[in-house]
PDB file of all heavy atoms in Angstrom:
ATOM      1  N   TYR B  49     132.764  41.351  98.357  1.00 94.00           N
ATOM      2  CA  TYR B  49     131.387  40.886  98.819  1.00 94.00           C
ATOM      3  C   TYR B  49     131.587  39.722  99.702  1.00 94.00           C
ATOM      4  O   TYR B  49     132.288  38.795  99.303  1.00 94.00           O
ATOM      5  CB  TYR B  49     130.568  40.616  97.541  1.00 94.00           C
ATOM      6  CG  TYR B  49     129.802  41.712  96.889  1.00 94.00           C
ATOM      7  CD1 TYR B  49     130.511  42.534  96.013  1.00 94.00           C
ATOM      8  CD2 TYR B  49     128.546  41.998  97.247  1.00 94.00           C
ATOM      9  CE1 TYR B  49     129.842  43.623  95.455  1.00 94.00           C
ATOM     10  CE2 TYR B  49     127.805  43.067  96.578  1.00 94.00           C
ATOM     11  CZ  TYR B  49     128.467  43.924  95.702  1.00 94.00           C
ATOM     12  OH  TYR B  49     127.872  45.018  95.165  1.00 94.00           O
ATOM     13  N   SER B  50     130.805  39.799 100.817  1.00 90.00           N
ATOM     14  CA  SER B  50     130.793  38.724 101.775  1.00 90.00           C
ATOM     15  C   SER B  50     129.418  38.230 101.794  1.00 90.00           C
ATOM     16  O   SER B  50     128.462  39.076 102.248  1.00 90.00           O
ATOM     17  CB  SER B  50     131.409  39.073 103.100  1.00 90.00           C
ATOM     18  OG  SER B  50     131.236  38.030 103.967  1.00 90.00           O
ATOM     19  N   TYR B  51     129.016  36.944 101.592  1.00 90.00           N
ATOM     20  CA  TYR B  51     127.708  36.481 101.551  1.00 90.00           C
ATOM     21  C   TYR B  51     126.704  37.413 100.912  1.00 90.00           C
ATOM     22  O   TYR B  51     125.681  37.808 101.378  1.00 90.00           O
ATOM     23  CB  TYR B  51     127.247  36.310 103.068  1.00 90.00           C
ATOM     24  CG  TYR B  51     127.927  35.098 103.735  1.00 90.00           C
ATOM     25  CD1 TYR B  51     129.171  35.307 104.373  1.00 90.00           C
ATOM     26  CD2 TYR B  51     127.431  33.918 103.802  1.00 90.00           C
ATOM     27  CE1 TYR B  51     129.915  34.330 104.920  1.00 90.00           C
ATOM     28  CE2 TYR B  51     128.052  32.778 104.392  1.00 90.00           C
ATOM     29  CZ  TYR B  51     129.289  33.034 104.911  1.00 90.00           C
ATOM     30  OH  TYR B  51     130.015  32.007 105.553  1.00 90.00           O
ATOM     31  N   GLU B  52     127.222  37.778  99.682  1.00 93.00           N
ATOM     32  CA  GLU B  52     126.407  38.632  98.735  1.00 93.00           C
ATOM     33  C   GLU B  52     126.082  40.045  99.226  1.00 93.00           C
ATOM     34  O   GLU B  52     125.379  40.758  98.587  1.00 93.00           O
ATOM     35  CB  GLU B  52     125.008  37.882  98.434  1.00 93.00           C
ATOM     36  CG  GLU B  52     125.235  36.578  97.756  1.00 93.00           C
ATOM     37  CD  GLU B  52     124.208  35.579  98.041  1.00 93.00           C
ATOM     38  OE1 GLU B  52     122.975  35.867  97.834  1.00 93.00           O
ATOM     39  OE2 GLU B  52     124.629  34.430  98.596  1.00 93.00           O
ATOM     40  N   LYS B  53     126.691  40.436 100.279  1.00 93.00           N
ATOM     41  CA  LYS B  53     126.653  41.846 100.710  1.00 93.00           C
ATOM     42  C   LYS B  53     127.936  42.614 100.463  1.00 93.00           C
ATOM     43  O   LYS B  53     129.058  42.021 100.829  1.00 93.00           O
ATOM     44  CB  LYS B  53     126.219  41.915 102.212  1.00 93.00           C
ATOM     45  CG  LYS B  53     124.840  41.539 102.380  1.00 93.00           C
ATOM     46  CD  LYS B  53     124.449  41.821 103.781  1.00 93.00           C
ATOM     47  CE  LYS B  53     122.910  41.632 104.229  1.00 93.00           C
ATOM     48  NZ  LYS B  53     122.179  40.817 103.399  1.00 93.00           N
ATOM     49  N   LEU B  54     127.953  43.852 100.006  1.00 94.00           N
ATOM     50  CA  LEU B  54     129.112  44.657  99.919  1.00 94.00           C
ATOM     51  C   LEU B  54     129.810  44.892 101.194  1.00 94.00           C
ATOM     52  O   LEU B  54     129.088  45.539 102.123  1.00 94.00           O
ATOM     53  CB  LEU B  54     128.831  45.935  99.157  1.00 94.00           C
ATOM     54  CG  LEU B  54     129.995  46.818  98.851  1.00 94.00           C
ATOM     55  CD1 LEU B  54     130.972  46.126  97.878  1.00 94.00           C
ATOM     56  CD2 LEU B  54     129.615  48.107  98.246  1.00 94.00           C
ATOM     57  N   SER B  55     130.995  44.327 101.565  1.00 90.00           N
ATOM     58  CA  SER B  55     131.581  44.600 102.733  1.00 90.00           C
ATOM     59  C   SER B  55     132.801  45.564 102.725  1.00 90.00           C
ATOM     60  O   SER B  55     133.176  46.185 103.722  1.00 90.00           O
ATOM     61  CB  SER B  55     132.027  43.241 103.386  1.00 90.00           C
ATOM     62  OG  SER B  55     133.010  42.685 102.584  1.00 90.00           O
ATOM     63  N   ILE B  56     133.409  45.753 101.535  1.00 88.00           N
ATOM     64  CA  ILE B  56     134.522  46.687 101.328  1.00 88.00           C
ATOM     65  C   ILE B  56     134.409  47.354 100.121  1.00 88.00           C
ATOM     66  O   ILE B  56     134.165  46.763  99.054  1.00 88.00           O
ATOM     67  CB  ILE B  56     135.890  45.905 101.443  1.00 88.00           C
ATOM     68  CG1 ILE B  56     136.139  45.294 102.788  1.00 88.00           C
ATOM     69  CG2 ILE B  56     137.019  46.952 101.149  1.00 88.00           C
ATOM     70  CD1 ILE B  56     137.428  44.585 102.879  1.00 88.00           C
ATOM     71  N   ASN B  57     134.514  48.667 100.171  1.00 91.00           N
ATOM     72  CA  ASN B  57     134.463  49.563  99.019  1.00 91.00           C
ATOM     73  C   ASN B  57     135.768  50.453  99.232  1.00 91.00           C
ATOM     74  O   ASN B  57     135.707  51.319 100.076  1.00 91.00           O
ATOM     75  CB  ASN B  57     133.202  50.307  98.765  1.00 91.00           C
ATOM     76  CG  ASN B  57     133.391  51.343  97.627  1.00 91.00           C
ATOM     77  OD1 ASN B  57     134.487  51.593  97.117  1.00 91.00           O
ATOM     78  ND2 ASN B  57     132.201  51.878  97.121  1.00 91.00           N
ATOM     79  N   GLU B  58     136.834  50.221  98.450  1.00 89.00           N
ATOM     80  CA  GLU B  58     138.040  50.932  98.697  1.00 89.00           C
ATOM     81  C   GLU B  58     138.005  52.324  98.052  1.00 89.00           C
ATOM     82  O   GLU B  58     138.845  52.726  97.286  1.00 89.00           O
ATOM     83  CB  GLU B  58     139.258  50.114  98.151  1.00 89.00           C
ATOM     84  CG  GLU B  58     139.587  48.913  98.972  1.00 89.00           C
ATOM     85  CD  GLU B  58     140.185  49.275 100.333  1.00 89.00           C
ATOM     86  OE1 GLU B  58     141.431  49.612 100.405  1.00 89.00           O
ATOM     87  OE2 GLU B  58     139.411  49.233 101.412  1.00 89.00           O
ATOM     88  N   SER B  59     136.986  53.081  98.425  1.00 89.00           N
ATOM     89  CA  SER B  59     136.786  54.519  97.754  1.00 89.00           C
ATOM     90  C   SER B  59     136.889  54.477  96.316  1.00 89.00           C
ATOM     91  O   SER B  59     137.614  55.407  95.713  1.00 89.00           O
ATOM     92  CB  SER B  59     137.800  55.400  98.477  1.00 89.00           C
ATOM     93  OG  SER B  59     137.770  55.410  99.794  1.00 89.00           O
ATOM     94  N   VAL B  60     136.254  53.500  95.719  1.00 95.00           N
ATOM     95  CA  VAL B  60     136.277  53.495  94.203  1.00 95.00           C
ATOM     96  C   VAL B  60     135.317  54.394  93.590  1.00 95.00           C
ATOM     97  O   VAL B  60     134.262  54.598  94.088  1.00 95.00           O
ATOM     98  CB  VAL B  60     135.970  51.998  93.747  1.00 95.00           C
ATOM     99  CG1 VAL B  60     135.985  51.919  92.246  1.00 95.00           C
ATOM    100  CG2 VAL B  60     136.892  50.959  94.439  1.00 95.00           C
ATOM    101  N   PRO B  61     135.813  55.062  92.451  1.00 95.00           N
ATOM    102  CA  PRO B  61     134.832  56.129  91.841  1.00 95.00           C
ATOM    103  C   PRO B  61     133.463  55.502  91.454  1.00 95.00           C
ATOM    104  O   PRO B  61     133.437  54.290  91.036  1.00 95.00           O
ATOM    105  CB  PRO B  61     135.605  56.580  90.570  1.00 95.00           C
ATOM    106  CG  PRO B  61     137.026  56.334  90.944  1.00 95.00           C
ATOM    107  CD  PRO B  61     137.040  55.119  91.898  1.00 95.00           C
ATOM    108  N   SER B  62     132.443  56.178  91.456  1.00 95.00           N
ATOM    109  CA  SER B  62     131.073  55.688  91.253  1.00 95.00           C
ATOM    110  C   SER B  62     130.937  55.220  89.799  1.00 95.00           C
ATOM    111  O   SER B  62     129.867  54.581  89.475  1.00 95.00           O
ATOM    112  CB  SER B  62     130.006  56.749  91.503  1.00 95.00           C
ATOM    113  OG  SER B  62     130.185  57.938  90.805  1.00 95.00           O
ATOM    114  N   ARG B  63     131.818  55.529  88.862  1.00 96.00           N
ATOM    115  CA  ARG B  63     131.744  55.088  87.526  1.00 96.00           C
ATOM    116  C   ARG B  63     131.940  53.492  87.399  1.00 96.00           C
ATOM    117  O   ARG B  63     131.682  52.917  86.436  1.00 96.00           O
ATOM    118  CB  ARG B  63     132.701  55.743  86.581  1.00 96.00           C
ATOM    119  CG  ARG B  63     134.195  55.716  86.974  1.00 96.00           C
ATOM    120  CD  ARG B  63     135.034  56.601  86.055  1.00 96.00           C
ATOM    121  NE  ARG B  63     136.464  56.494  86.267  1.00 96.00           N
ATOM    122  CZ  ARG B  63     137.062  57.267  87.113  1.00 96.00           C
ATOM    123  NH1 ARG B  63     136.376  58.305  87.722  1.00 96.00           N
ATOM    124  NH2 ARG B  63     138.358  57.126  87.240  1.00 96.00           N
ATOM    125  N   PHE B  64     132.497  52.942  88.552  1.00 97.00           N
ATOM    126  CA  PHE B  64     132.525  51.452  88.778  1.00 97.00           C
ATOM    127  C   PHE B  64     131.406  51.123  89.756  1.00 97.00           C
ATOM    128  O   PHE B  64     131.352  51.536  90.846  1.00 97.00           O
ATOM    129  CB  PHE B  64     133.840  51.106  89.314  1.00 97.00           C
ATOM    130  CG  PHE B  64     135.017  51.285  88.425  1.00 97.00           C
ATOM    131  CD1 PHE B  64     135.694  52.515  88.488  1.00 97.00           C
ATOM    132  CD2 PHE B  64     135.388  50.453  87.467  1.00 97.00           C
ATOM    133  CE1 PHE B  64     136.748  52.774  87.660  1.00 97.00           C
ATOM    134  CE2 PHE B  64     136.500  50.681  86.689  1.00 97.00           C
ATOM    135  CZ  PHE B  64     137.200  51.872  86.732  1.00 97.00           C
ATOM    136  N   SER B  65     130.493  50.208  89.290  1.00 97.00           N
ATOM    137  CA  SER B  65     129.437  49.741  90.098  1.00 97.00           C
ATOM    138  C   SER B  65     129.363  48.256  90.228  1.00 97.00           C
ATOM    139  O   SER B  65     129.043  47.548  89.200  1.00 97.00           O
ATOM    140  CB  SER B  65     128.138  50.339  89.570  1.00 97.00           C
ATOM    141  OG  SER B  65     127.028  49.879  90.291  1.00 97.00           O
ATOM    142  N   PRO B  66     129.652  47.779  91.487  1.00 97.00           N
ATOM    143  CA  PRO B  66     129.629  46.226  91.560  1.00 97.00           C
ATOM    144  C   PRO B  66     128.276  45.782  91.824  1.00 97.00           C
ATOM    145  O   PRO B  66     127.354  46.584  92.329  1.00 97.00           O
ATOM    146  CB  PRO B  66     130.517  45.972  92.728  1.00 97.00           C
ATOM    147  CG  PRO B  66     130.247  47.183  93.626  1.00 97.00           C
ATOM    148  CD  PRO B  66     130.079  48.404  92.665  1.00 97.00           C
ATOM    149  N   GLU B  67     128.032  44.461  91.528  1.00 97.00           N
ATOM    150  CA  GLU B  67     126.766  43.788  91.809  1.00 97.00           C
ATOM    151  C   GLU B  67     127.076  42.369  92.050  1.00 97.00           C
ATOM    152  O   GLU B  67     127.793  41.726  91.288  1.00 97.00           O
ATOM    153  CB  GLU B  67     125.823  43.978  90.612  1.00 97.00           C
ATOM    154  CG  GLU B  67     124.470  43.309  90.769  1.00 97.00           C
ATOM    155  CD  GLU B  67     123.731  43.172  89.440  1.00 97.00           C
ATOM    156  OE1 GLU B  67     124.449  43.094  88.307  1.00 97.00           O
ATOM    157  OE2 GLU B  67     122.589  42.974  89.395  1.00 97.00           O
ATOM    158  N   CYS B  68     126.350  41.841  93.015  1.00 96.00           N
ATOM    159  CA  CYS B  68     126.514  40.402  93.325  1.00 96.00           C
ATOM    160  C   CYS B  68     125.092  39.715  93.336  1.00 96.00           C
ATOM    161  O   CYS B  68     124.436  39.665  94.358  1.00 96.00           O
ATOM    162  CB  CYS B  68     127.206  40.160  94.688  1.00 96.00           C
ATOM    163  SG  CYS B  68     127.555  38.509  95.042  1.00 96.00           S
ATOM    164  N   PRO B  69     124.618  39.269  92.178  1.00 95.00           N
ATOM    165  CA  PRO B  69     123.228  38.756  91.954  1.00 95.00           C
ATOM    166  C   PRO B  69     123.000  37.533  92.958  1.00 95.00           C
ATOM    167  O   PRO B  69     121.817  37.331  93.362  1.00 95.00           O
ATOM    168  CB  PRO B  69     123.078  38.443  90.558  1.00 95.00           C
ATOM    169  CG  PRO B  69     124.212  39.070  89.970  1.00 95.00           C
ATOM    170  CD  PRO B  69     125.226  39.253  90.925  1.00 95.00           C
ATOM    171  N   ASN B  70     123.984  36.726  93.022  1.00 93.00           N
ATOM    172  CA  ASN B  70     123.883  35.473  93.849  1.00 93.00           C
ATOM    173  C   ASN B  70     125.278  35.066  94.288  1.00 93.00           C
ATOM    174  O   ASN B  70     126.218  35.620  94.000  1.00 93.00           O
ATOM    175  CB  ASN B  70     123.140  34.312  93.185  1.00 93.00           C
ATOM    176  CG  ASN B  70     123.805  33.934  91.851  1.00 93.00           C
ATOM    177  OD1 ASN B  70     124.984  33.659  91.859  1.00 93.00           O
ATOM    178  ND2 ASN B  70     123.102  33.916  90.779  1.00 93.00           N
ATOM    179  N   SER B  71     125.356  33.978  95.120  1.00 90.00           N
ATOM    180  CA  SER B  71     126.511  33.619  95.685  1.00 90.00           C
ATOM    181  C   SER B  71     127.589  33.189  94.666  1.00 90.00           C
ATOM    182  O   SER B  71     128.865  32.979  94.953  1.00 90.00           O
ATOM    183  CB  SER B  71     126.421  32.445  96.742  1.00 90.00           C
ATOM    184  OG  SER B  71     125.804  31.403  96.112  1.00 90.00           O
ATOM    185  N   SER B  72     127.266  32.861  93.399  1.00 95.00           N
ATOM    186  CA  SER B  72     128.208  32.319  92.376  1.00 95.00           C
ATOM    187  C   SER B  72     128.567  33.442  91.367  1.00 95.00           C
ATOM    188  O   SER B  72     129.592  33.219  90.605  1.00 95.00           O
ATOM    189  CB  SER B  72     127.607  31.326  91.521  1.00 95.00           C
ATOM    190  OG  SER B  72     127.206  30.166  92.433  1.00 95.00           O
ATOM    191  N   LEU B  73     127.937  34.619  91.371  1.00 97.00           N
ATOM    192  CA  LEU B  73     128.143  35.578  90.311  1.00 97.00           C
ATOM    193  C   LEU B  73     128.557  36.896  90.902  1.00 97.00           C
ATOM    194  O   LEU B  73     128.017  37.409  91.945  1.00 97.00           O
ATOM    195  CB  LEU B  73     126.864  35.763  89.512  1.00 97.00           C
ATOM    196  CG  LEU B  73     126.400  34.597  88.661  1.00 97.00           C
ATOM    197  CD1 LEU B  73     125.024  34.914  87.988  1.00 97.00           C
ATOM    198  CD2 LEU B  73     127.382  34.291  87.564  1.00 97.00           C
ATOM    199  N   LEU B  74     129.353  37.596  90.231  1.00 98.00           N
ATOM    200  CA  LEU B  74     129.917  38.960  90.651  1.00 98.00           C
ATOM    201  C   LEU B  74     130.011  39.727  89.264  1.00 98.00           C
ATOM    202  O   LEU B  74     130.612  39.321  88.340  1.00 98.00           O
ATOM    203  CB  LEU B  74     131.124  38.860  91.366  1.00 98.00           C
ATOM    204  CG  LEU B  74     131.656  40.224  91.881  1.00 98.00           C
ATOM    205  CD1 LEU B  74     130.790  40.784  92.979  1.00 98.00           C
ATOM    206  CD2 LEU B  74     133.119  40.035  92.433  1.00 98.00           C
ATOM    207  N   ASN B  75     129.387  40.924  89.231  1.00 98.00           N
ATOM    208  CA  ASN B  75     129.497  41.722  88.051  1.00 98.00           C
ATOM    209  C   ASN B  75     130.184  43.099  88.410  1.00 98.00           C
ATOM    210  O   ASN B  75     130.098  43.498  89.580  1.00 98.00           O
ATOM    211  CB  ASN B  75     128.113  42.040  87.477  1.00 98.00           C
ATOM    212  CG  ASN B  75     127.308  40.883  87.075  1.00 98.00           C
ATOM    213  OD1 ASN B  75     127.951  39.920  86.472  1.00 98.00           O
ATOM    214  ND2 ASN B  75     126.095  40.760  87.232  1.00 98.00           N
ATOM    215  N   LEU B  76     130.750  43.739  87.425  1.00 98.00           N
ATOM    216  CA  LEU B  76     131.271  45.037  87.609  1.00 98.00           C
ATOM    217  C   LEU B  76     130.812  45.810  86.406  1.00 98.00           C
ATOM    218  O   LEU B  76     131.122  45.629  85.262  1.00 98.00           O
ATOM    219  CB  LEU B  76     132.871  45.022  87.718  1.00 98.00           C
ATOM    220  CG  LEU B  76     133.563  46.323  87.948  1.00 98.00           C
ATOM    221  CD1 LEU B  76     133.076  46.839  89.350  1.00 98.00           C
ATOM    222  CD2 LEU B  76     134.985  46.316  87.860  1.00 98.00           C
ATOM    223  N   HIS B  77     129.874  46.766  86.795  1.00 98.00           N
ATOM    224  CA  HIS B  77     129.266  47.648  85.709  1.00 98.00           C
ATOM    225  C   HIS B  77     130.184  48.891  85.535  1.00 98.00           C
ATOM    226  O   HIS B  77     130.529  49.491  86.514  1.00 98.00           O
ATOM    227  CB  HIS B  77     127.826  48.039  86.206  1.00 98.00           C
ATOM    228  CG  HIS B  77     126.969  46.927  86.295  1.00 98.00           C
ATOM    229  ND1 HIS B  77     126.724  45.853  85.336  1.00 98.00           N
ATOM    230  CD2 HIS B  77     126.275  46.388  87.415  1.00 98.00           C
ATOM    231  CE1 HIS B  77     125.853  44.978  85.765  1.00 98.00           C
ATOM    232  NE2 HIS B  77     125.605  45.220  86.996  1.00 98.00           N
TER     233      HIS B  77
END
Side-chain angles (χ1 to χ4, degrees):
Chain B
Y49 273 83
S50 173
Y51 290 85
E52 298 148 58
K53 288 188 171 25
L54 183 64
S55 65
I56 297 177
N57 176 344
E58 290 287 284
S59 303
V60 179
S62 60
R63 57 185 185 269
F64 295 92
S65 174
E67 178 198 19
C68 189
N70 60 55
S71 60
S72 300
L73 292 174
L74 184 66
N75 298 321
L76 186 63
H77 302 299

